[in-house]
């Protein structure tokens, strides 16, 4: 039987810390693991194997080895992933994975995810929201490909 997960799509570099309390509530409500998909705009198809390796290591509880795998990423990506992991620890969020994808690879990753597990809920971050809403076909295509509940987050204001 396939595991069910909550997917959260975030654009690389986006500050997501103010949403982690809500994410934790959703995780407790659904009682599911969380998969953070970090969306990169740059083409990194040469590093796909490394990305999946880092994700697998993190899933197995070997975060240090996963961070070692991140040496193949740009310094900005490494710093962003390290900061996200620190934020997740501070929020006491557990049972999560992080996978880096590109817009070019999103469809391929989608296929992999469908084979590996079911998607219970799909949460889209504000910056990703802006990207998909600026291209109506992008969001429509995403909604058609995933027949699950979607939550689109809006930017927090003070």
């Amino acid at each position: 039987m396939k595991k069910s997960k909550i997917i959260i799509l975030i654009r690389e570099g986006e500050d997501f810390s103010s949403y982690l309390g809500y994410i934790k509530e959703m995780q407790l409500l659904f009682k599911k693991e969380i998969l953070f998909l970090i969306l990169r705009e740059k083409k990194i198809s040469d590093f796909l194997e490394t990305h999946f390796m880092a994700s697998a290591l993190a899933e197995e509880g070997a975060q240090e080895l996963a961070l070692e795998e991140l040496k193949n990423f740009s310094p900005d990506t490494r710093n962003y992933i390290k900061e996200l992991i620190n934020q997740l620890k501070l929020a006491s969020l557990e049972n999560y994975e992080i996978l880096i994808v590109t817009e070019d690879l999103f469809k391929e990753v989608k296929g992999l995810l469908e084979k590996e597990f079911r998607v219970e809920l799909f949460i889209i971050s504000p910056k990703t929201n802006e990207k998909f809403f600026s291209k109506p076909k992008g969001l429509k295509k995403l909604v058609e490909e995933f027949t699950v509940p979607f939550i689109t987050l809006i930017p927090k204001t003070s």
Side-chain angles (χ1 to χ4, degrees):
M1 182 174 187
K2 292 182 182 181
K3 283 185 176 180
S4 293
K5 293 191 182 192
I6 297 171
I7 292 183
I8 302 172
L9 186 59
I10 306 172
R11 300 239 351 232
E12 182 180 9
E14 182 173 11
D15 180 12
F16 201 70
S17 58
S18 61
Y19 301 96
L20 292 178
Y22 177 73
I23 298 305
K24 187 171 183 171
E25 286 178 30
M26 290 293 100
Q27 186 178 41
L28 293 172
L29 178 67
F30 282 85
K31 296 181 174 85
K32 303 294 177 193
E33 291 181 21
I34 293 180
L35 175 62
F36 289 94
L37 293 180
I38 309 300
L39 181 64
R40 292 199 52 185
E41 292 187 39
K42 298 176 184 174
K43 296 182 190 290
I44 54 170
S45 57
D46 297 337
F47 298 109
L48 181 62
E49 185 177 325
T50 302
H51 300 190
F52 286 121
M53 176 65 75
S55 175
L57 290 170
E59 181 180 353
E60 296 300 319
Q63 280 82 9
E64 292 79 24
L65 289 174
L67 290 174
E68 186 70 26
E69 286 294 323
L70 290 175
K71 288 183 179 178
N72 293 321
F73 297 125
S74 71
D76 289 341
T77 300
R78 286 194 307 265
N79 291 337
Y80 182 71
I81 297 299
K82 287 178 185 177
E83 180 59 31
L84 179 61
I85 289 171
N86 287 336
Q87 290 175 2
L88 296 173
K89 285 179 185 176
L90 288 173
S92 301
L93 198 67
E94 298 177 357
N95 298 321
Y96 65 85
E97 293 178 64
I98 298 172
L99 181 64
I100 299 172
V101 297
T102 65
E103 291 176 33
D104 298 340
L105 298 175
F106 188 71
K107 194 170 192 171
E108 294 173 36
V109 172
K110 176 198 161 293
L112 175 72
L113 299 178
E114 286 177 341
K115 291 176 189 167
E116 296 288 325
F117 54 84
R118 286 187 11 210
V119 177
E120 196 75 28
L121 176 66
F122 205 113
I123 299 174
I124 302 174
S125 73
K127 292 222 185 254
T128 306
N129 235 352
E130 290 173 15
K131 176 97 175 142
F132 283 115
F133 279 124
S134 70
K135 296 179 184 178
K137 286 184 180 180
L139 185 62
K140 182 180 178 194
K141 185 177 180 181
L142 189 66
V143 170
E144 288 172 352
E145 288 182 17
F146 285 101
T147 55
V148 299
F150 275 85
I151 295 176
T152 55
L153 301 173
I154 58 171
K156 288 205 171 201
T157 57
S158 51

